Amino acid sequence: MATPGSKTPTLASKRALPADPPSGVLSKRKNSGPLQSRLPSSGPFVEGSIVRIAMENFLTYDICEVSPGPHLNMIIGANGTGKSSIVCAICLGLAGKPAFMGRADKVGFFVKRGCSKGKVEIELFRTSGNLLITREIDVAKNQSFWFINNKSTTQKVVEEQVAALNIQVGNLCQFLPQDKVGEFAKLSKIELLEATEKSIGPPEMHRYHCELKNFREKEKQLETSCKEKTEYLEKMVQRNERYKQDVERFYERKRHLDLIEMLEAKRPWVEYENVRQEYEEVKLARDRVKDEVKKLKEGQIPITLRIKEIERQRCDLEAQIKEKATDIKETSQRCKQKQDIIERKDKHIEELQQALTVKQNEEQDRQKRISNTRKMIEDLQNELRTTENCETLQPQIDGITNDLRRVQDEKALCEGEIIDKRRERETLEKEKKSVGEHIVRFDNLMNQKEDKLRQRYRDTYEAVLWLRSNRDRFKKRVCEPIMLMINMKDNKNAKYIENHISSNDLRAFVFENQEDMEIFLREVRDNKKLRVNTVIAPKISYADRPPSRSLSELKQYGFFSYLRELFDAPEPVMSYLCFQYHIHEVPVGTEKTRERIEWVIQETQLKQVYTADEKYVVKTSVYSNKVISSNTSLKVAQFLTVTVDLEQRRQLEEQLKEINRKLEAVDSGLLALRDTNRHLERIDNELRQKKKDLLERKTKKRQLEQKISSKLGSLKLMEQDTCNLEEEERKANTKIKEINVQKAKLVTELTSLVKICTSLHIQKVDLILQNTTVISEKNKLESDYVAASSRLRLTEQHFIELDDNRQRLLQKCKELMKRARQVCNLSAQQTVPQEYQTQVPTIPNGHNSSPPMAFQDLPNTLDEIDALLTEERSRASCFTGLNPTVVQEYTKREEEIVQLTEELKGKKVELDQYRENISQVKERWLNPLKELVEKINEKFSNFFSSMQCAGEVDLHTENEEDYDKYGIRIRVKFRSSTQLHELTPHHQSGGERSVSTMLYLMALQELNRCPFRVVDEINQGMDPINERRVFEMVVNTACKENTSQYFFITPKLLQNLPYSEKMTVLFIYNGPHMLESNRWHLKAFQRRRRRITFTQPAQ
């Protein structure tokens, strides 16, 4: 597409910078060359703009490199060519998330199918030197490897570098891919404000907003906390006043309980002393056995030392054996190396001999080519002598030129007649369309049947739709369900047919071929899981079979027709119903028939008959030959009540056939005219070919002279390229002799190595014999050690039994001691204070302890202790209704009251501090934000006014203090008769949402501090008028000075749109014959085209 003011080559276009190389084609052909980075660019690029995009094995591309311009970049291409692939490359190359594109959630899915790796390079403009970001994608591991300026790095570092340039690929106000266009209108007011702040606001604006939301949230939490703590404090003070007397009575009762506790604590100490004495006896016996075990172990030490010494000798011998084995292996390898060298020498000799043979063959071939070339030169010279004079050909060329003019005049006349025929055909086509519409109206009645089928039997209806799309897969005719094929001649008779034919067969498909039915069931029932019925028509047709009794014989009983004559149906359906339901044998009667039903049953011997409202079935008993009849009331018809006037439809079809006949006549006339036209074209082509041949004969003599000159040059070169075979043979024999001398030396060295290897084998065998003797001695010592170990085990077993008994008694002592300490409230490591001690018994675990001194004032026998316990318990039981938890809660509440008072004071101080912070931050955030929204509103409203529409942008909030509820509200109207409505995904149409989104992004463009903006296929839902207006605004806004870079992706454009010199247009083509990018050079193509034009001969 060539457009004014834009640089658009034939295949692909991009507006290059002054320092750029020639523009390259966007290629999908595979190219193994590396992706090269360009030098830092100088020009109107803003900081962070994209200078170059390179892709390798990425989505639809094998390899591609794009160089966008600094202002508006318009990317055009058909659907599927790879426009959105460039958008994906920008997103992923700048550390964007794969899920944001809406295509896939794994980065590996963006690599071209069939490739294991892919790569994306993004070069960003920086005044200090361009930034080159490379992302390599591994499909198998689903991982990415990052590089900055060709140095390995991490994704986090890349994200920091991208953020430093204020690039936000996750912000829909800056980066709007194709699959996210609809989501922009779905953004809430809050989300739109956040995206706008990040996109065009000062860096601190979004930070202040976040701080305000956090401060406000903390303020709410503190207010709630202060209120709750104040209420809780008042409740606790009131509760403590109510329980004060109960606490005093509780402490009186506690004094009696303490004495009871002291009495219960004395019993464990007495029990402990008895167990301790038993423990001491067992301990003495265990120590005696322990000494015996020690003596037995000391007797085993010399044997153990000897075994270890022999083991060391065995290890030394095995080490020497391994060393000899290593030497043998190394020597064998050296022998193998010598053998390999000898084999290579033999191979070298063979190669020298083969090379000599090749040279001999080449010399023979050269002599043959010289002979053939001389013969060709002689033939060309003979042909040159026989070539006729060119001056005699010109009259023939002039005659053919006159014939060409005559044929072209006849062609023009024939083409005029073809145009007339086409007009006549268009008139007939209109008549055919009118008749077809009438037939469609009749078919709509048929659709009513299909609606009933769909409502009652959904699976059958789905199968009908599948059948209509796949009729070509069947060999013979396949009829749709019987209820659709039957057409009643009179609606009131539909009840007889529906009561006679089962519902399963009414919705059954009718087949003429068994294989067709199996294919249908496999696809519909097995694959699609649809519940359908099928039947197969009989091979011999029953459709026209006459009834056994004529209708005239039955009219006396009130019968007026057989079932078959009540409706029309295709031949396979009618044949199946006659065969299966005998509809040609079942008569239909009236009320008269019901009145005379007894005579009908006795005289006619009919099996089934219908009266006005009943069905009668007659059977004969096989046992008694008695006639048995049954009758049922007829159900109301549901499916077959819709009828079509077949006669009128037949007339329309006849009229349609007549129109088709006329069309065929017109088509045959057109065909004859076209044949005549083709005949004239063939004559025209033959005359042109003759003229071409004569022109070639004029230039044939010059061509022959050029060929002779070329062949003479080739002959001279071949005669100069001579080869001295005797010298080559002498050189080859000299080299072979030298190699044989080297082989003899290698054989001598190999013999010496074989002798050394044999000597090492003998030494290894001697060491193995010594190792066998040492192992035998070690086995004898180990046998003696096992016998001594058996005696030691028995003694150790006795020691273990005594020690287990000691441990049991020790554990019992500890348990009793633990119980006594628990009663005295002493820990395991804590000793009893001196003021409570009377005596100091020894405890088995090595520690000293004693019962409390208060024990000396208590009874010393169990009976006395029990009597005193009973008395104190009786006294304590007098204090009823006291709960110890009441005292604990009372004390705990007293502590909490003090603690809560301090906390409440601190919370109030903290709340005042947060309110002060909110006031300061709000002033720094809200005023600049209002100014920014006002600027956006001004530009947005101007854009809408230029389109004769209205729109405005404002800062919206329901509560000034709810900073997390602030949002940007977009309101638009596209018709003068309506009011401004908020932009939502539901109120406006898709085109209106696209226009509003585009104009909002345009309003941000001049205020934008981001380096570039991407919008993918946003014009798809716009009507031509709005699309033209929006395009003009995009061009005017994005091509201004000091604006950021803009990417506008679209598959199509309107005609005669305005363009700017600052635009860059990128066309994307794909196909199997595209040039590789490193072979695309537009200027070279233009020079080649001019040369072809200049050298073409004039006719």
Side-chain angles (χ1 to χ4, degrees):
M1 174 181 176
T3 58
S6 63
K7 299 183 178 180
T8 54
T10 305
L11 298 179
S13 168
K14 53 184 177 183
R15 192 174 186 271
L17 295 174
D20 287 346
S23 298
V25 67
L26 298 181
S27 174
K28 287 193 175 183
R29 291 177 60 87
K30 186 173 180 181
N31 192 329
S32 59
L35 299 176
Q36 300 295 332
S37 172
R38 301 190 313 176
L39 295 174
S41 303
S42 62
F45 285 97
V46 299
E47 191 81 2
S49 296
I50 298 176
V51 177
R52 183 174 65 89
I53 306 166
M55 296 162 282
E56 182 175 347
N57 296 331
F58 186 80
L59 287 177
T60 57
Y61 293 106
D62 288 335
I63 183 168
C64 176
E65 183 172 320
V66 181
S67 296
H71 297 289
L72 175 59
N73 291 275
M74 189 166 63
I75 302 177
I76 305 173
N79 290 328
T81 54
K83 303 184 300 301
S84 296
S85 299
I86 298 176
V87 178
C88 293
I90 295 174
C91 178
L92 297 181
L94 296 177
K97 304 298 182 184
F100 178 72
M101 303 304 301
R103 289 194 173 195
D105 56 352
K106 294 184 179 180
V107 71
F109 292 149
F110 288 86
V111 176
K112 185 173 183 179
R113 181 171 296 182
C115 299
S116 60
K117 290 184 179 181
K119 182 163 67 173
V120 175
E121 282 188 358
I122 306 293
E123 186 174 353
L124 303 176
F125 176 77
R126 287 194 312 189
T127 54
S128 60
N130 287 2
L131 178 67
L132 179 63
I133 299 175
T134 305
R135 182 174 190 170
E136 294 183 355
I137 303 171
D138 191 319
V139 176
K141 299 179 180 179
N142 193 38
Q143 290 182 347
S144 296
F145 303 94
W146 295 90
F147 301 87
I148 293 181
N149 293 332
N150 297 322
K151 293 181 180 179
S152 179
T153 185
T154 62
Q155 183 173 350
K156 183 177 180 181
V157 175
V158 173
E159 290 173 349
E160 292 173 354
Q161 293 276 6
V162 171
L165 295 171
N166 196 35
I167 296 173
Q168 306 166 24
V169 292
N171 189 340
L172 293 182
C173 285
Q174 180 178 347
F175 197 90
L176 192 60
Q178 178 181 352
D179 297 324
K180 296 287 184 177
V181 170
E183 292 188 13
F184 186 89
K186 297 179 183 178
L187 287 178
S188 66
K189 295 186 283 293
I190 299 171
E191 293 171 336
L192 184 58
L193 173 60
E194 182 178 350
T196 304
E197 284 179 338
K198 292 179 180 179
S199 178
I200 67 171
E204 66 276 3
M205 178 177 287
H206 182 64
R207 177 167 53 82
Y208 286 155
H209 192 184
C210 293
E211 289 179 359
L212 274 176
K213 290 189 284 187
N214 294 334
F215 287 159
R216 177 56 181 162
E217 184 66 25
K218 191 64 177 178
E219 181 187 16
K220 291 180 181 178
Q221 294 174 1
L222 289 172
E223 289 174 349
T224 304
S225 178
C226 289
K227 183 178 179 181
E228 291 175 353
K229 288 183 182 296
T230 302
E231 294 174 354
Y232 185 57
L233 181 60
E234 293 175 355
K235 290 180 182 178
M236 286 196 298
V237 171
Q238 294 173 2
R239 190 177 298 175
N240 265 17
E241 288 297 325
R242 290 198 301 269
Y243 292 111
K244 191 172 183 179
Q245 288 185 349
D246 291 342
V247 172
E248 292 175 353
R249 294 179 66 243
F250 174 82
Y251 282 116
E252 178 65 23
R253 177 175 177 270
K254 188 175 184 302
R255 283 192 290 273
H256 294 288
L257 294 177
D258 289 343
L259 181 57
I260 292 171
E261 184 180 358
M262 192 69 75
L263 290 169
E264 291 176 345
K266 189 171 183 179
R267 300 174 69 90
W269 295 100
V270 176
E271 294 175 355
Y272 162 75
E273 183 62 25
N274 294 334
V275 175
R276 187 190 64 79
Q277 292 177 0
E278 184 181 358
Y279 165 79
E280 292 294 340
E281 294 175 359
V282 173
K283 182 181 178 183
L284 291 173
R286 189 205 68 148
D287 292 341
R288 287 194 299 271
V289 175
K290 183 177 180 181
D291 294 338
E292 184 178 356
V293 170
K294 183 178 179 182
K295 292 178 181 178
L296 289 173
K297 287 183 177 180
E298 291 174 352
Q300 285 185 328
I301 291 175
I303 299 175
T304 304
L305 294 175
R306 179 58 182 162
I307 290 174
K308 290 181 178 178
E309 182 181 355
I310 292 175
E311 179 64 21
R312 282 195 299 272
Q313 293 179 7
R314 187 186 64 80
C315 291
D316 292 341
L317 289 171
E318 288 184 352
Q320 294 179 25
I321 292 170
K322 289 181 180 179
E323 184 179 352
K324 294 299 180 184
T326 302
D327 293 341
I328 291 171
K329 183 177 179 181
E330 291 177 353
T331 306
S332 299
Q333 289 177 349
R334 290 170 61 191
C335 292
K336 181 67 169 59
Q337 291 174 357
K338 296 297 181 182
Q339 291 175 349
D340 292 342
I341 294 172
I342 293 172
E343 290 177 358
R344 287 198 294 271
K345 296 295 182 183
D346 291 337
K347 187 175 180 181
H348 191 190
I349 292 171
E350 183 179 353
E351 290 174 351
L352 290 172
Q353 293 173 347
Q354 289 178 354
L356 181 61
T357 303
V358 168
K359 289 182 180 180
Q360 291 173 347
N361 293 335
E362 288 177 350
E363 178 61 21
Q364 294 176 1
D365 183 62
R366 187 179 70 85
Q367 294 296 334
K368 289 180 181 179
R369 284 188 284 111
I370 290 172
S371 176
N372 292 335
T373 302
R374 287 173 176 167
K375 188 175 183 305
M376 290 175 65
I377 291 171
E378 184 179 351
D379 293 340
L380 289 171
Q381 289 174 344
N382 292 333
E383 186 177 357
L384 179 62
R385 285 191 293 270
T386 59
T387 302
E388 63 181 323
N389 193 352
C390 300
E391 296 176 356
T392 60
L393 298 175
Q394 188 59 42
Q396 300 179 33
I397 294 173
D398 295 338
I400 291 174
T401 302
N402 294 330
D403 293 339
L404 275 172
R405 292 195 190 99
R406 180 180 55 78
V407 170
Q408 288 171 355
D409 292 339
E410 294 178 1
K411 278 180 63 180
L413 181 61
C414 182
E415 288 171 354
E417 294 179 358
I418 290 174
I419 291 172
D420 293 337
K421 289 289 185 181
R422 284 177 178 170
R423 289 173 182 168
E424 182 181 356
R425 193 180 190 281
E426 289 174 358
T427 303
L428 291 172
E429 285 289 349
K430 291 179 181 177
E431 295 178 5
K432 180 180 178 181
K433 182 179 179 182
S434 176
V435 174
E437 289 174 350
H438 282 81
I439 294 175
V440 168
R441 295 193 190 100
F442 284 101
D443 292 339
N444 287 337
L445 296 174
M446 192 67 180
N447 292 338
Q448 295 180 16
K449 287 187 177 182
E450 295 178 6
D451 288 338
K452 291 183 178 181
L453 176 67
R454 177 175 55 81
Q455 295 170 7
R456 184 70 180 272
Y457 304 110
R458 184 73 185 187
D459 286 0
T460 304
Y461 178 74
E462 295 291 340
V464 169
L465 298 181
W466 182 89
L467 174 63
R468 291 174 179 175
S469 302
N470 297 274
R471 287 191 180 274
D472 56 337
R473 298 181 60 179
F474 301 99
K475 298 179 180 178
K476 292 188 177 181
R477 182 178 182 182
V478 179
C479 295
E480 294 178 0
I482 293 176
M483 65 173 61
L484 298 181
M485 296 291 100
I486 289 178
N487 186 45
M488 299 301 302
K489 297 178 180 178
D490 190 344
N491 287 347
K492 67 182 181 181
N493 296 327
K495 60 183 179 181
Y496 302 115
I497 305 303
E498 288 193 21
N499 281 273
H500 190 72
I501 303 172
S502 69
S503 60
N504 285 338
D505 276 357
L506 277 175
R507 60 190 176 95
F509 294 81
V510 182
F511 292 80
E512 292 183 315
N513 182 274
Q514 182 69 29
E515 293 181 3
D516 289 346
M517 186 171 70
E518 291 173 358
I519 293 172
F520 178 85
L521 291 176
R522 183 166 59 251
E523 290 294 332
V524 175
R525 184 181 292 175
D526 297 342
N527 296 344
K528 294 184 173 294
K529 308 300 182 184
L530 299 178
R531 293 176 295 177
V532 297
N533 295 335
T534 60
V535 297
I536 189 164
K539 295 182 178 179
I540 301 174
S541 177
Y542 284 73
D544 298 324
R545 183 164 294 189
S548 58
R549 302 185 63 172
S550 65
L551 186 63
S552 58
E553 297 177 9
L554 300 176
K555 285 187 177 180
Q556 59 179 322
Y557 303 106
F559 293 107
F560 62 88
S561 175
Y562 282 100
L563 287 178
R564 182 176 61 184
E565 280 66 45
L566 297 179
F567 64 93
D568 294 324
E571 192 276 335
V573 175
M574 188 68 77
S575 176
Y576 171 79
L577 294 178
C578 291
F579 174 77
Q580 185 67 27
Y581 291 94
H582 306 287
I583 57 174
H584 62 293
E585 297 281 3
V586 179
V588 181
T590 59
E591 195 65 27
K592 177 182 177 182
T593 308
R594 189 184 65 79
E595 294 172 356
R596 306 187 63 185
I597 191 64
E598 293 182 2
W599 286 276
V600 171
I601 295 172
Q602 294 174 2
E603 297 175 4
T604 62
Q605 297 182 355
L606 294 171
K607 302 298 182 183
Q608 295 184 67
V609 296
Y610 284 90
T611 64
D613 298 305
E614 292 179 330
K615 173 184 178 181
Y616 287 82
V617 178
V618 181
K619 296 181 180 179
T620 303
S621 174
V622 296
Y623 300 102
S624 61
N625 289 327
K626 291 183 178 180
V627 177
I628 303 171
S629 65
S630 61
N631 66 310
T632 56
S633 298
L634 298 180
K635 298 178 182 178
V636 178
Q638 297 180 1
F639 299 106
L640 304 179
T641 55
V642 178
T643 59
V644 180
D645 189 348
L646 296 179
E647 180 60 26
Q648 187 177 358
R649 191 180 189 283
R650 188 187 61 77
Q651 292 176 1
L652 288 172
E653 288 179 347
E654 290 296 329
Q655 187 178 353
L656 185 63
K657 289 180 182 179
E658 179 63 21
I659 293 172
N660 288 331
R661 186 187 62 76
K662 292 179 179 179
L663 280 173
E664 289 176 0
V666 172
D667 290 340
S668 62
L670 272 174
L671 184 61
L673 290 171
R674 286 170 181 164
D675 289 341
T676 304
N677 193 38
R678 281 195 294 271
H679 176 68
L680 293 173
E681 286 181 353
R682 185 168 61 254
I683 295 172
D684 182 80
N685 292 333
E686 290 174 356
L687 292 173
R688 292 179 183 275
Q689 184 62 36
K690 289 180 180 179
K691 184 176 180 180
K692 181 180 177 182
D693 293 341
L694 291 173
L695 292 172
E696 288 178 353
R697 286 166 62 185
K698 286 179 66 176
T699 59
K700 184 176 181 181
K701 184 173 183 180
R702 185 172 66 251
Q703 292 174 353
L704 288 173
E705 292 173 347
Q706 291 176 352
K707 287 182 180 180
I708 293 171
S709 177
S710 174
K711 293 297 180 180
L712 289 172
S714 300
L715 178 62
K716 184 178 180 180
L717 291 175
M718 285 188 289
E719 289 175 345
Q720 291 175 353
D721 186 16
T722 58
C723 179
N724 191 347
L725 290 177
E726 294 180 356
E727 180 63 24
E728 294 294 334
E729 185 175 358
R730 184 187 61 77
K731 290 179 180 179
N733 291 332
T734 302
K735 290 181 180 179
I736 292 171
K737 289 179 182 179
E738 293 175 355
I739 293 171
N740 286 329
V741 172
Q742 295 173 3
K743 280 178 60 180
K745 182 179 179 182
L746 289 170
V747 170
T748 303
E749 293 175 355
L750 178 61
T751 304
S752 175
L753 289 173
V754 170
K755 292 178 180 179
I756 294 172
C757 188
T758 303
S759 174
L760 290 172
H761 275 290
I762 294 171
Q763 295 174 14
K764 179 181 177 183
V765 171
D766 184 52
L767 290 171
I768 291 172
L769 293 174
Q770 295 179 27
N771 188 38
T772 303
T773 304
V774 170
I775 291 172
S776 176
E777 183 179 356
K778 178 189 174 185
N779 291 338
K780 184 177 180 304
L781 289 172
E782 287 177 346
S783 178
D784 296 340
Y785 180 80
V786 169
S789 298
S790 178
R791 292 193 300 275
L792 176 62
R793 279 196 300 273
L794 294 174
T795 307
E796 286 177 339
Q797 184 67 32
H798 186 205
F799 170 79
I800 291 170
E801 292 173 357
L802 290 172
D803 190 62
D804 290 343
N805 193 18
R806 182 189 69 82
Q807 292 288 347
R808 181 180 59 77
L809 292 172
L810 177 60
Q811 185 64 29
K812 190 172 182 181
C813 287
K814 289 181 179 180
E815 290 174 356
L816 292 172
M817 176 61 71
K818 181 179 180 181
R819 180 182 171 192
R821 286 179 174 276
Q822 288 176 348
V823 173
C824 298
N825 293 325
L826 299 174
S827 64
Q829 292 77 22
Q830 187 178 1
T831 58
V832 180
Q834 288 295 330
E835 57 267 22
Y836 295 104
Q837 296 180 4
T838 56
Q839 57 183 351
V840 185
T842 303
I843 302 175
N845 60 6
H847 298 286
N848 292 329
S849 184
S850 66
M853 183 176 286
F855 286 174
Q856 65 186 356
D857 299 328
L858 298 176
N860 294 321
T861 65
L862 292 175
D863 293 337
E864 293 175 348
I865 291 173
D866 292 340
L868 186 57
L869 275 171
T870 303
E871 181 182 352
E872 291 298 321
R873 286 170 179 163
S874 298
R875 291 179 180 178
S877 63
C878 295
F879 297 92
T880 59
L882 298 177
N883 190 350
T885 58
V886 173
V887 180
Q888 295 175 3
E889 292 176 356
Y890 179 86
T891 306
K892 184 177 179 181
R893 278 194 293 271
E894 285 291 334
E895 295 173 353
E896 288 182 356
I897 287 170
V898 176
Q899 182 179 355
L900 276 175
T901 304
E902 293 297 325
E903 289 181 1
L904 188 58
K905 188 184 297 183
K907 292 287 184 183
K908 290 180 178 178
V909 173
E910 188 178 359
L911 179 59
D912 293 338
Q913 182 64 38
Y914 270 102
R915 286 172 176 167
E916 179 65 23
N917 291 340
I918 288 173
S919 177
Q920 295 175 1
V921 176
K922 179 180 178 180
E923 183 177 355
R924 293 195 294 267
W925 170 72
L926 188 57
N927 293 336
L929 178 60
K930 289 181 177 178
E931 294 176 2
L932 182 63
V933 173
E934 185 60 32
K935 292 179 182 178
I936 297 173
N937 178 50
E938 180 182 355
K939 296 184 180 298
F940 187 74
S941 300
N942 291 338
F943 286 146
F944 261 87
S945 298
S946 65
M947 296 176 61
Q948 287 79 45
C949 300
E952 67 176 29
V953 177
D954 61 0
L955 188 62
H956 178 266
T957 182
E958 296 177 357
N959 185 358
E960 188 176 353
E961 299 301 323
D962 290 339
Y963 304 107
D964 56 343
K965 300 294 175 37
Y966 274 78
I968 287 183
R969 179 174 60 179
I970 300 177
R971 295 192 299 165
V972 296
K973 73 170 183 176
F974 289 87
R975 286 163 290 278
S976 59
S977 60
T978 61
Q979 299 295 324
L980 286 170
H981 290 282
E982 185 175 344
L983 181 64
T984 66
H986 314 291
H987 190 275
Q988 289 81 13
S989 66
E992 291 173 346
R993 291 198 301 272
S994 298
V995 171
S996 303
T997 300
M998 196 67 184
L999 295 186
Y1000 184 79
L1001 296 178
M1002 285 292 96
L1004 301 183
Q1005 178 70 10
E1006 294 184 13
L1007 305 174
N1008 197 10
R1009 63 184 183 87
C1010 65
F1012 65 86
R1013 188 184 306 283
V1014 177
V1015 179
D1016 190 359
E1017 295 195 16
I1018 198 172
N1019 60 333
Q1020 288 300 89
M1022 299 182 189
D1023 58 77
I1025 297 174
N1026 284 334
E1027 183 176 354
R1028 183 176 299 278
R1029 291 172 177 173
V1030 169
F1031 185 83
E1032 292 175 359
M1033 295 178 189
V1034 171
V1035 173
N1036 294 334
T1037 304
C1039 293
K1040 291 182 179 179
E1041 292 294 336
N1042 301 322
T1043 58
S1044 59
Q1045 194 177 35
Y1046 202 98
F1047 290 88
F1048 184 84
I1049 293 91
T1050 179
K1052 51 86 178 177
L1053 284 176
L1054 300 175
Q1055 296 182 355
N1056 301 320
L1057 291 174
Y1059 295 89
S1060 171
E1061 285 290 341
K1062 295 181 179 179
M1063 288 175 58
T1064 299
V1065 182
L1066 299 168
F1067 288 93
I1068 301 181
Y1069 297 90
N1070 68 356
H1073 305 296
M1074 297 294 291
L1075 282 178
E1076 298 173 0
S1077 58
N1078 58 0
R1079 296 174 56 192
W1080 176 268
H1081 195 288
L1082 181 61
K1083 293 183 179 179
F1085 297 160
Q1086 293 172 340
R1087 289 196 301 269
R1088 192 177 307 150
R1089 175 61 181 171
R1090 285 196 294 268
R1091 286 199 303 270
I1092 294 173
T1093 303
F1094 293 155
T1095 57
Q1096 184 174 3
Q1099 294 185 3

